[in-house]
Amino acid sequence: MSPELQPGLRFAWQYTVSPRATVPQLYHDTPFCLDMPDVLATGYMVGMMELACVHGMLPFLDWPREQSLGTMVNFQHLAPTPPGMTLRIEGEVIQVDGPRVRFKVQAWDEQERICEGTHERCVIDRDRFNGRVAKKRRTAIV
C-alpha cells in the first residue's frame, strides 16, 4: 500500500442502477420480495458504496497482489432510487491504521442524497489470504 493513501484523500465514482439491483430482482427467490417496490435494494447500495471505496484505493495498491476487503459498513439509506438513475458516490479517507482504511462516504441519485455513512476496508496480500481460505476449506467439516 502506498504511503500516499492518507486521510483527506477524496474520490468519486458513478454507477447507473440496473433493474437487477432492485429489491424484487435482487431477492427474486423470496416470494414476498416480488411485491416490494422496484427501487435500489439497500444490500446492493451497500455494495456500490464499497466498490466506490475500492475504486478510490486502487491507485495506491499494488494491484492485483494487494487488494482490500470490507470489514465494516455503517450506512443510512435515506431515499429510494428507481432503476435507470445514475448514482454519484463521493468518499474521503478519514483514517489509516496499518492495513485498515476508514472512509466517510455519501451517495446521490439524480435528485437527492440517498446514502451516507462510514466504511472500513483492510488491505490484504491476495496470495496469503487465498492460502488461508484454502486451508479453511481443507479443514472444514462437510
Side-chain angles (χ1 to χ4, degrees), residues 62-131:
D62 181 18
W63 187 270
R65 185 184 63 79
E66 285 183 319
Q67 297 183 10
S68 68
L69 297 173
T71 55
M72 186 276 298
V73 294
N74 180 19
F75 295 121
Q76 288 185 290
H77 196 163
L78 304 170
T81 302
M85 281 196 165
T86 298
L87 303 181
R88 183 180 87 251
I89 304 168
E90 295 181 2
E92 178 181 356
V93 174
I94 58 174
Q95 182 181 24
V96 178
D97 184 14
R100 297 194 179 280
V101 182
R102 186 165 288 191
F103 303 89
K104 176 181 174 185
V105 194
Q106 297 184 69
W108 294 262
D109 63 21
E110 297 165 19
Q111 296 182 5
E112 61 189 327
R113 187 168 52 147
I114 66 151
C115 181
E116 65 182 9
T118 57
H119 177 47
E120 182 180 272
R121 302 193 68 74
C122 185
V123 176
I124 61 160
D125 177 283
R126 181 187 64 182
D127 293 339
R128 192 170 76 205
F129 184 86
N130 287 341

Side-chain angles (χ1 to χ4, degrees), residues 15 17-28 33-34 36-45 81-84:
Y15 172 78
V17 177
S18 69
R20 69 184 166 91
T22 63
V23 176
Q25 294 300 311
L26 185 61
Y27 305 110
H28 62 87
C33 289
L34 297 175
M36 294 181 77
D38 191 32
V39 295
L40 176 64
T42 300
Y44 205 93
M45 180 197 69
T81 302

